Amino acid sequence: MCGIVGYVGDRNAYPILIKGLHRLEYRGYDSAGFALVGKNGELNVYKCKGKVSALENFVEGKDVEGSCGIAHTRWATHGEPNSVNAHPHYSCTENIALIHNGIIENWALLKKALIREGYEFKSETDTEVLVNLIEYVRNTNKCSLLDAVRGALKQVIGAYAIAVVEKGREDEIIVARQSSPLVVGIGEGEYFLASDATPIVEYTDKVVYLQDGEIAVLTKNKPLRVVNFDNAECPIDVKKLEMNISELEKGGYKHFMLKEIHEQPKTIMDCLRGRLSPDSYDVILSGVRDNAYRFLSARRIIIVACGTSWHASLIGEHLIEDLCRIPVEVEYASEFRYRNPVLSPEDVVIAVSQSGETADTLAAMSLAKAAGCFVFGICNVIGSSVARASDAGCYIHVGPEISVASTKAFTGQVTVFAMIALTLANTLTRISRDRFEQLSKALLDLPALVQAELDTLDAPIKELAEKFKDSRDFIYIGRGYEFPVALEGALKLKEVSYIHADGYPAAEMKHGPIALIDKTMPVLAIAIPDALYEKTASNVQEVKARGGVVISVVSNDDEMVSKMSDYAIRVPVTDPCLMPVLVSIPLQLFAYYIADAKGLDVDQPRNLAKSVTVE
Ligand code: M6R
């Protein structure tokens, strides 16, 4: 939930750290800071409340020379977001500085013990406890910094990715990971480290993804050393980084969110590429094909996810049940992990996560694995924890998603679910070859339809957003495949515009929420041509009859619901089971343009972070 970055080598570390922090700011932006070991071995920490730009202003005119440094952008867990709680944290003597992403669960106990030893604390953080514990072990055992880090981590319970520097050691950084991601980049006699590869990509394509329980010693001009907590050498698996720098820039768009919305014709195509043949219409997902017997003999499929990934999973449930007739349940990972679910080795658990680092989803996966379930991961970030913890899986391949509000990952996840459902339905012969080919073709046509929507809808939705930007509340309604889209549309609006919005199955309105309807409560109704169109139309009538203002999302040739509505957003039509992709696009644009019209920080909404690596 925080971003960490570091550099040791011959270059000036400061620009690398600041650029890296900007790339990682999506992970948290409550405060930022860095520590530098200068040429003469002096260790200086600079930190302040607020975003990375505030940190840049804060250090203006200060000495930021040094070729060994670590930096941090924070999403507050322990202690309010202020400069004292900001990372890095010094040890008591100011000889050691540490940055940390994660949570030390037994911090209170350790803190008490350190206080008894005379240690004093300035901040409310668990991180300051860890840095002092390292110093305590170092001084008590008169050992190396590596051994001190090892010794301290053996006493720690929790999740962490840490980086440690020490006064007088301008050539070395020690890093370690346990349940929080950490990537080491290997350059010529130099090393980079970061929470993900985005701060590293322009310097080197050689990376090592540290494993849980590993500590790495990054020493300038020396080979990388990785050991475990017992000091046994670990094998080093150097991977080639496949990432394009242009994907990390805004490319002329005002915000990443808008860029990512507009990227969707390409990202859906990238997701389909090499998997769905435009000639034979066959679908090949190797992770599903190679484990077909697990899916086909499954008693049921359970999907675990959070947030937007959970909404995409609800659409996955519809697709798999609809096309394959396999029972599916969708669970919030955070609930599933704690409610003692009944699981058996005949269950298949699918974990869905853009980042692949969501703590609750990872915990749900562990629970499923312990019960002997086959665990299949759907994620975006290559080499992420979900990818590594899965028995098999499938990437959505939509490229780095920087905006905190997820857009292209959602459509990528739905696309992958459609391919999984098609593969299983075909293998089980639950659908005819004609229907299979019809849906495969519809999937292949999606990118062009999304492009057509973006071309025609961007400007009118911007205008519509201007009209509704001062609304206080919103209700989104949909049925069947469109109910999860209503939930997702409402979540998008909430998180970027801070307008309260709820999603409901349209027919549920009369069981309570309709009491809210008056002329100040706009209702966004999804009424596309499917088996439930007429029924949704009646639900829209019920809202209109009570003076509600209706914005409908309807098909290009709609006649009935558009006439009842105050405003109609027209979208192209495909098979109803793929309509969630086409309907979600205008809802993403609507949320974006409302937030932008309100002058909000669209890419980094308040209180949020992109990857939620804590409970
Ligand atoms: O990386 P994940 O897909 O596991 O993240 C899950 C949620 O935290 C995420 O979808 C969140 O709800 C987004 N901010 C939604 O836009």
Side-chain angles (χ1 to χ4, degrees):
M1 200 68 157
C2 302
I4 69 177
V5 59
Y7 173 78
V8 59
D10 285 323
R11 309 184 203 214
N12 196 6
Y14 174 73
I16 298 170
L17 299 181
I18 287 295
K19 197 165 188 186
L21 285 184
H22 277 298
R23 292 258 165 88
L24 293 175
E25 214 168 11
Y26 73 89
R27 300 177 69 89
Y29 30 84
D30 289 334
S31 63
F34 62 92
L36 284 173
V37 189
K39 263 204 182 72
N40 303 320
E42 69 279 13
L43 172 61
N44 290 315
V45 167
Y46 307 86
K47 54 187 185 175
C48 67
K49 183 180 168 172
K51 297 194 167 194
V52 180
S53 51
L55 179 66
E56 286 176 279
N57 293 336
F58 176 70
V59 299
E60 187 111 14
K62 297 196 169 80
D63 174 17
V64 289
E65 289 294 311
S67 52
C68 173
I70 55 176
H72 186 271
T73 177
R74 177 169 188 247
W75 187 81
T77 53
H78 281 67
E80 68 171 276
N82 59 28
S83 59
V84 179
N85 290 330
H87 297 213
H89 286 278
Y90 272 132
S91 60
C92 262
T93 58
E94 301 197 348
N95 279 342
I96 300 176
L98 180 143
I99 51 175
H100 167 217
N101 168 32
I103 286 188
I104 309 298
E105 285 169 18
N106 56 339
W107 64 275
L109 217 64
L110 295 168
K111 189 171 182 174
K112 256 193 201 156
L114 287 166
I115 289 171
R116 276 200 300 275
E117 296 295 330
Y119 279 80
E120 286 173 8
F121 291 85
K122 299 189 182 79
S123 77
E124 302 156 77
T125 65
D126 50 347
T127 307
E128 197 185 4
V129 176
L130 180 55
V131 70
N132 278 313
L133 182 62
I134 293 171
E135 182 168 280
Y136 172 74
V137 177
R138 178 127 161 82
N139 292 344
T140 315
N141 298 350
K142 306 266 175 293
C143 60
S144 67
L145 183 60
L146 169 62
D147 286 344
V149 170
R150 273 196 320 107
L153 292 182
K154 278 183 148 184
Q155 301 178 50
V156 157
I157 302 169
Y160 47 81
I162 60 164
V164 188
V165 289
E166 191 178 34
K167 195 178 203 164
R169 300 175 76 90
E170 68 279 13
D171 60 350
E172 188 171 282
I173 305 176
I174 311 264
V175 299
R177 95 154 249 174
Q178 179 65 47
S179 307
S180 284
L182 193 56
V183 190
V184 174
I186 306 175
E188 291 297 322
E190 60 184 355
Y191 291 103
F192 306 82
L193 69 100
S195 300
D196 69 35
T198 56
I200 295 176
V201 59
E202 58 229 80
Y203 308 107
T204 178
D205 63 356
K206 281 193 254 160
V207 292
V208 174
Y209 294 94
L210 279 201
Q211 307 293 320
D212 281 348
E214 287 186 345
I215 306 176
V217 185
L218 318 181
T219 314
K220 177 175 137 180
N221 295 324
K222 287 209 176 142
L224 180 66
R225 207 179 147 210
V226 181
V227 297
N228 65 18
F229 291 179
D230 294 322
N231 211 20
E233 299 290 328
C234 301
I236 297 171
D237 181 13
V238 181
K239 294 238 182 313
K240 188 170 175 350
L241 190 60
E242 311 275 357
M243 195 181 270
N244 184 343
I245 298 179
S246 67
E247 293 175 335
L248 307 175
E249 313 288 351
K250 284 191 200 142
Y253 287 93
K254 186 171 175 189
H255 294 103
F256 279 110
M257 183 175 175
L258 189 60
K259 177 190 176 219
E260 287 161 8
I261 292 171
H262 276 268
E263 273 174 358
Q264 287 174 105
K266 176 177 177 303
T267 55
I268 295 169
M269 188 49 94
D270 289 345
C271 183
L272 295 170
R273 183 167 296 116
R275 292 157 162 184
L276 205 173
S277 160
D279 305 319
S280 66
Y281 296 141
D282 278 325
V283 183
I284 297 174
L285 287 175
S286 50
V288 177
R289 182 198 55 198
D290 299 347
N291 299 284
Y293 71 99
R294 296 302 305 247
F295 283 97
L296 302 181
S297 60
R299 198 175 60 142
R300 62 182 174 160
I301 294 175
I302 302 164
I303 312 179
V304 291
C306 304
T308 288
S309 298
W310 187 78
H311 297 151
S313 303
L314 291 176
I315 297 165
E317 175 187 29
H318 278 259
L319 281 161
I320 296 172
E321 291 205 337
D322 201 4
L323 301 178
C324 317
R325 312 308 299 154
I326 301 174
V328 181
E329 286 164 29
V330 183
E331 300 251 13
Y332 282 116
S334 55
E335 290 295 312
F336 178 81
R337 65 181 288 194
Y338 286 120
R339 69 167 187 78
N340 193 15
V342 179
L343 295 169
S344 85
E346 288 84 51
D347 291 327
V348 167
V349 171
I350 302 183
V352 186
S353 172
Q354 185 286 130
S355 62
E357 301 298 344
T358 300
D360 285 322
T361 307
L362 285 164
M365 291 173 80
S366 305
L367 190 73
K369 282 189 112 172
C373 308
F374 174 71
V375 178
F376 188 88
I378 298 178
C379 63
N380 188 33
V381 178
I382 314 277
S384 61
S385 303
V386 165
R388 284 182 291 129
S390 308
D391 294 312
C394 179
Y395 286 114
I396 59 173
H397 287 314
V398 299
E401 191 179 63
I402 311 287
S403 163
V404 166
S406 187
T407 53
K408 61 179 180 172
F410 175 77
T411 49
Q413 289 163 344
V414 174
T415 305
V416 161
F417 269 121
M419 287 191 283
I420 292 175
L422 273 179
T423 309
L424 297 177
N426 192 37
T427 318
L428 285 164
T429 57
R430 297 268 156 85
I431 56 172
S432 67
R433 182 70 199 179
D434 279 357
R435 176 81 176 126
F436 176 84
E437 289 191 5
Q438 183 192 15
L439 287 175
S440 296
K441 186 170 176 329
L443 266 173
L444 288 165
D445 290 342
L446 272 182
L449 293 177
V450 172
Q451 188 60 60
E453 281 189 289
L454 289 165
D455 293 345
T456 54
L457 289 178
D458 189 286
I461 289 185
K462 189 174 179 184
E463 251 176 59
L464 191 65
E466 197 57 49
K467 292 192 172 69
F468 285 92
K469 70 176 194 306
D470 297 319
S471 304
R472 216 190 51 188
D473 304 283
F474 247 96
I475 288 180
Y476 284 57
I477 56 173
R479 300 184 72 150
Y481 276 103
E482 303 308 327
F483 166 52
V485 184
L487 291 177
E488 173 59 10
L491 174 66
K492 272 316 65 105
L493 188 68
K494 268 188 278 229
E495 67 178 334
V496 297
S497 76
Y498 315 148
I499 293 174
H500 167 246
D502 274 329
Y504 289 104
E508 274 297 301
M509 286 293 284
K510 56 185 167 298
H511 298 288
I514 204 160
L516 295 167
I517 300 300
D518 64 14
K519 61 180 186 325
T520 66
M521 171 66 86
V523 175
L524 191 142
I526 305 167
I528 46 102
D530 59 16
L532 294 168
Y533 176 78
E534 273 79 18
K535 293 187 190 302
T536 313
S538 307
N539 302 138
V540 171
Q541 277 290 17
E542 287 154 14
V543 171
K544 280 310 298 171
R546 281 147 188 94
V549 178
V550 172
I551 304 171
S552 59
V553 179
V554 294
S555 67
N556 274 335
D557 58 1
D558 182 272
E559 290 184 356
M560 183 165 51
V561 172
S562 48
K563 279 204 190 102
M564 300 171 195
S565 314
D566 300 271
Y567 304 91
I569 298 170
R570 293 185 178 275
V571 295
V573 172
T574 180
D575 194 281
C577 71
L578 298 177
M579 278 307 285
V581 170
L582 299 184
V583 174
S584 61
I585 305 292
L587 305 195
Q588 295 169 351
L589 285 169
F590 189 59
Y592 169 77
Y593 279 120
I594 287 197
D596 190 41
K598 291 174 83 171
L600 297 172
D601 191 346
V602 180
D603 285 332
Q604 293 169 349
R606 68 185 179 205
N607 307 337
L608 293 177
K610 183 81 181 152
S611 350
V612 185
T613 57
V614 292
E615 282 194 49

